[in-house]
Amino acid sequence: MNRNQNITFPLEEKNPEFWRAQAQTTLKSALSRKLNTNVAKNIVLFLGDGMGITTITAARILKGQLENQTGEETCLYLCLFVYFQIPDSAATATAYLCGVKTNLNMVGLSAAAQNGVCRTQKGNEVTSILKWAKDAGKSVGVVTTTRVQHWYSDADMPASAKRDGCTDIAAQLINNTDIDVVIGGGRKYMTPKGTVDPEYPLDRSSLGKRQDNRNLIDEWISMKKEKVAHYVWNKKEFDAVDPETTDYLMALFEPGDMRYEVERDPLMDPSIIETTEKAIRILQKNPKGFFLLVEGGRIDQGHHASRASMALHEAVALDNAVARSLQLTNEDETLTIVTADHSHSLSFNGYPFRGNSILGKSPLYGQDLLPYTTLMYGNGPGHKIIDNKRPDIRSVDTKSKDYIQQAAVPLDSETHGGEDVAVLARGPMAHLFQGVNEQSYLAHAMAYAACVGANQQHCVATTSYRLAESRSSAPHSSLTSVLSVLLGSIMALFLY
């Protein structure tokens, strides 16, 4: 073993045959893959808010280093996905969920609507894959680490919007698509102004915000009287929910966003692994399948604060939720996708030694004879110039969760990045997610894979062929196999 900064590396890595053999193993794995053309009974979409390529790379290294490895060779569970693709947060959500690109700051509306002019939304609404799946008889769920309404209550709406009869996002949450599982934060946006929070009764910032005096939690419970529905706000209540007997679940663990993973109180709030598992166990009882959106929303917020440690720990937590989801579902019938809505201005730079902490400093100094961190931002609150010099961070613990990375341009909040993002997919029709595409393609490809929405011409032929296969327990002769394929092709031609 060689040693570099007290880190050991396998000697075989010096032998070219090590890399050649590794490449051949990877090649054999790629060649052995068979296209899964099944209809996707279930879809699980993991959305890492702001999780660009740099974040994935840095989180992969951090994950290995948290396990006392050098980190560079560590593979996230995302690495087990096959296909890649492309890309702020309302407009991108409209693209990847509704299949329509729209204007900045607008969600669930086409580009014909105008930002800030509420009356223009009428007639320009677009539906999402959650509604398409629900219309097809599937169960649907949303899990996030932020607020389930992403901050909007009627208190946040301008007077003109209220006069025009527009509805806030919190109210839409319970009245639009009938969502079976809703998990995240955001209690105060659901309750009347001044309502005392059950967890933080003395905190004025946690008081209810609604000006219309509606209690949307109570309304939601009342709407589900004919079903087994649970509303919970802490982990004890959450753990007591039996997925086998539960039809609907609303779990709101914080007044606002859920806590960052490294600051989470495990006695009060479940992890994203636990919330994902609960959602899947409730939804998968539906014989027609389900659609589940899991958002690692605080990746984005960590980046905006230029706290790379926070953002990367959130990304690792999301990866662990992906791993649990894969254990709970069957790849033959479940399409699992991991992607991001956009990137950030995070850069991975310098010439750090292998095994150097991804949150550490580069061994080389700048021309100002001061060190810099491996991870930096193009802009953000980390820009600090004192006496025409950057701060000296030699004695600063840059691995701290509270450390703010240095930035080139001063801003109160770091901005999104505009480069393409990856789409990684496993399961039925995963091969549809490859190349560089518009983000709006994602919703249509998912719908095609699950036979929901408008494009279903291929579904009857595929289903008929699979039924014909399953009716015979004896091996097919070559002639029977040919006839089955021909019949399927003929049916497809008639359908087209």
Side-chain angles (χ1 to χ4, degrees):
M1 305 287 273
N2 282 348
R3 292 191 173 270
N4 190 358
Q5 290 192 331
N6 299 319
I7 298 169
T8 58
F9 308 110
L11 281 176
E12 58 265 29
E13 290 187 4
K14 289 189 173 183
N15 186 341
E17 287 304 318
F18 171 82
W19 303 105
R20 292 169 183 155
Q22 185 184 79
Q24 288 301 313
T25 300
T26 304
L27 179 60
K28 286 178 182 177
S29 175
L31 291 171
S32 67
R33 293 184 192 127
K34 295 180 180 179
L35 294 185
N36 182 342
T37 57
N38 296 344
V39 172
K41 177 182 177 182
N42 313 310
I43 299 178
V44 184
L45 172 60
F46 286 90
L47 192 286
D49 195 337
M51 190 174 68
I53 298 291
T54 308
T55 302
I56 292 176
T57 305
R60 177 173 61 77
I61 294 173
L62 175 63
K63 183 174 184 177
Q65 292 178 348
L66 290 173
E67 297 168 353
N68 296 317
Q69 301 171 11
T70 59
E72 293 83 0
E73 69 289 335
T74 301
C75 196
L76 295 172
Y77 279 92
L78 313 188
C79 302
L80 304 177
F81 289 66
V82 183
Y83 301 100
F84 284 80
Q85 195 203 32
I86 154 185
D88 148 18
S89 283
T92 53
T94 306
Y96 63 77
L97 292 176
C98 303
V100 174
K101 300 200 88 170
T102 190
N103 299 318
L104 191 73
N105 297 329
M106 297 203 308
V107 62
L109 300 171
S110 73
Q114 297 176 42
N115 182 24
V117 186
C118 191
R119 63 179 180 275
T120 65
Q121 78 173 35
K122 291 181 175 64
N124 294 315
E125 300 92 343
V126 292
T127 57
S128 76
I129 192 169
L130 271 79
K131 186 178 188 309
W132 309 341
K134 195 72 180 184
D135 288 348
K138 296 180 183 292
S139 297
V140 297
V142 176
V143 173
T144 182
T145 54
T146 62
R147 299 140 289 178
V148 296
Q149 328 79 350
H150 216 79
W151 70 263
Y152 250 121
S153 76
D154 67 325
D156 304 296
M157 295 177 66
S160 60
K162 295 177 183 178
R163 285 196 303 269
D164 289 339
C166 293
T167 309
D168 63 276
I169 291 176
Q172 292 181 45
L173 176 69
I174 68 167
N175 290 310
N176 286 6
T177 301
D178 183 25
I179 304 175
D180 302 87
V181 175
V182 177
I183 303 177
R187 289 192 295 261
K188 66 182 180 180
Y189 303 102
M190 307 290 279
T191 56
K193 184 177 181 180
T195 301
V196 175
D197 187 80
E199 188 174 2
Y200 310 105
L202 301 180
D203 180 14
R204 295 189 59 81
S205 67
S206 298
L207 296 175
K209 286 177 59 73
R210 299 198 64 82
Q211 295 177 343
D212 57 9
N213 207 38
R214 293 173 65 184
N215 188 316
L216 299 183
I217 296 170
D218 289 346
E219 288 185 26
W220 179 86
I221 293 170
S222 179
M223 292 163 64
K224 312 301 181 189
K225 280 184 178 178
E226 304 302 317
K227 299 289 185 178
V228 179
H230 299 286
Y231 166 73
V232 301
W233 64 268
N234 59 59
K235 191 171 186 299
K236 182 178 179 181
E237 294 177 347
F238 178 77
D239 289 343
V241 173
D242 183 0
E244 294 302 316
T245 60
T246 299
D247 300 315
Y248 289 89
L249 173 63
M250 178 181 284
L252 304 177
F253 296 105
E254 290 291 333
D257 294 317
M258 292 185 68
R259 295 182 178 275
Y260 284 108
E261 177 60 24
V262 296
E263 296 176 339
R264 178 176 62 87
D265 180 353
L267 297 178
M268 290 299 294
D269 299 339
S271 68
I272 191 173
I273 304 172
E274 294 169 293
T275 54
T276 299
E277 175 168 354
K278 185 78 78 174
I280 290 174
R281 290 196 182 279
I282 292 172
L283 299 174
Q284 67 185 2
K285 301 195 305 295
N286 187 335
K288 292 185 178 181
F290 65 87
F291 176 88
L292 174 63
L293 169 64
V294 181
E295 183 201 30
R298 303 223 68 183
I299 299 172
D300 179 65
Q301 295 176 352
H303 281 316
H304 280 308
S306 293
R307 297 165 71 186
S309 176
M310 286 298 204
L312 298 188
H313 279 89
E314 291 296 303
V316 170
L318 182 66
D319 184 63
N320 291 333
V322 173
R324 188 67 185 121
S325 174
L326 293 175
Q327 293 170 349
L328 294 168
T329 56
N330 181 349
E331 190 173 337
D332 288 339
E333 63 177 19
T334 303
L335 172 63
T336 305
I337 301 167
V338 185
T339 189
D341 50 351
H342 54 75
S343 184
H344 276 269
S345 70
L346 181 70
S347 67
F348 184 180
N349 64 142
Y351 297 96
F353 294 114
R354 181 176 173 185
N356 194 62
S357 172
I358 191 65
L359 298 169
K361 308 175 185 86
S362 171
L364 301 180
Y365 284 19
Q367 290 183 339
D368 54 6
L369 302 181
L370 293 173
Y372 57 92
T373 52
T374 301
L375 299 177
M376 302 174 72
Y377 289 94
N379 57 57
H383 178 91
K384 293 179 176 64
I385 301 296
I386 302 171
D387 296 331
N388 210 30
K389 282 187 176 182
R390 293 187 298 122
D392 186 348
I393 59 172
R394 280 176 289 190
S395 60
V396 176
D397 179 12
T398 60
K399 302 173 192 175
S400 164
K401 67 181 179 66
D402 297 315
Y403 177 72
I404 297 175
Q405 254 71 21
Q406 292 183 359
V409 177
L411 288 176
D412 290 336
S413 177
E414 180 268 350
T415 69
H416 294 166
E419 71 270 22
D420 293 351
V421 297
V423 174
L424 309 104
R426 287 179 63 168
M429 297 293 179
H431 56 281
L432 298 179
F433 303 90
Q434 57 183 314
V436 178
N437 297 285
E438 291 284 4
Q439 202 167 37
S440 50
Y441 168 78
L442 197 61
H444 298 285
M446 289 190 293
Y448 183 96
C451 285
V452 301
N455 188 354
Q456 297 188 31
Q457 294 95 328
H458 62 291
C459 303
V460 176
T462 303
T463 305
S464 299
Y465 175 61
R466 305 238 178 263
L467 284 171
E469 270 192 324
S470 64
R471 284 185 184 131
S472 174
S473 58
H476 289 297
S477 67
S478 57
L479 178 60
T480 307
S481 297
V482 170
L483 286 173
S484 297
V485 173
L486 284 173
L487 285 169
S489 301
I490 291 168
M491 288 183 69
L493 284 171
F494 276 116
L495 285 165
Y496 279 105

